[in-house]
Amino acid sequence: MSVNLTLLVVMGVLYAVGVYLLLERSLTRVLLGLMLLTNGTNLLILHAGGVPGFAPLYDGSIAAEDYSDPLPQALILTAIVISLAVTAFLLGMIYRSWVLGRRDEIQDDVEDRRVARQSSYDVEDDAEVPAETTEFEESPRGEGPGEGLGEDLGEDLETPGLPGPRREGAR
């Protein structure tokens, strides 16, 4: 596989300028940067497709390895359609911004600044959970739940359902 150095340099320049323009606050520059990035990506896909060959139409006299792969071209056509739609959307945003504010720069939002200054600590989500999470109070007579109840009911705790030993004075 041969590497076309000119194509790689052009692709690198398109990516560099496109990223630089995307980092601006002007929507027009963002649009231009996005268009440069999509064209650089199309060149990357075309270059990754390999050496050009014959059209992918069947002819019995042409060997199978001499055909070009149609998949990169189909991907590029899809990318062109998507970039056209995104460009139309950004043009609409630029127009609306120009009509409303007579400029196409992205402003800082007051609410975004307030949210950025907030602490990331959330009382409900980040508080320590206590070891005891039951809503019921502990038994006042015993150490744990169920202790001390069997003596009052006169039941044998080892064999449930049978009467336990009787204490003096109890019925």
Side-chain angles (χ1 to χ4, degrees):
M1 178 177 172
S2 65
V3 177
N4 189 346
L5 190 61
T6 307
L7 199 60
L8 289 177
V9 170
V10 169
M11 185 178 54
V13 169
L14 287 176
Y15 270 108
V17 174
V19 168
Y20 176 75
L21 289 176
L22 270 181
L23 297 176
E24 295 287 327
R25 286 185 168 255
S26 170
L27 284 175
T28 305
R29 291 182 181 179
V30 169
L31 174 66
L32 290 174
L34 189 68
M35 291 170 65
L36 290 177
L37 277 178
T38 55
N39 285 323
T41 304
N42 289 340
L43 285 178
L44 174 70
I45 293 172
L46 184 64
H47 190 70
V51 286
F54 293 108
L57 299 174
Y58 179 72
D59 188 3
S61 63
I62 301 173
E65 56 269 0
D66 293 337
Y67 287 111
S68 68
D69 187 11
L71 183 63
Q73 296 160 2
L75 288 176
I76 289 172
L77 284 176
T78 305
I80 288 171
V81 170
I82 291 171
S83 68
L84 179 68
V86 172
T87 301
F89 177 71
L90 278 176
L91 282 174
M93 283 181 57
I94 291 169
Y95 174 73
R96 189 68 181 159
S97 175
W98 182 258
V99 166
L100 292 177
R102 295 288 177 203
R103 59 182 168 196
D104 67 344
E105 289 186 5
I106 299 172
Q107 303 291 321
D108 285 338
D109 190 19
V110 176
E111 186 68 19
D112 288 343
R113 288 183 182 173
R114 187 186 68 77
V115 169
R117 276 186 267 140
Q118 278 184 335
S119 171
S120 62
Y121 179 79
D122 186 21
V123 174
E124 292 182 5
D125 292 339
D126 299 334
E128 287 187 30
V129 178
E132 181 63 38
T133 58
T134 181
E135 296 175 356
F136 303 104
E137 295 179 15
E138 290 185 21
S139 173
R141 295 182 185 159
E143 293 290 326
E147 291 185 11
L149 293 176
E151 294 176 1
D152 292 340
L153 297 175
E155 292 181 356
D156 186 4
L157 293 177
E158 294 178 8
T159 53
L162 295 176
R166 297 218 176 233
R167 288 183 283 167
E168 293 180 14
R171 290 187 178 186

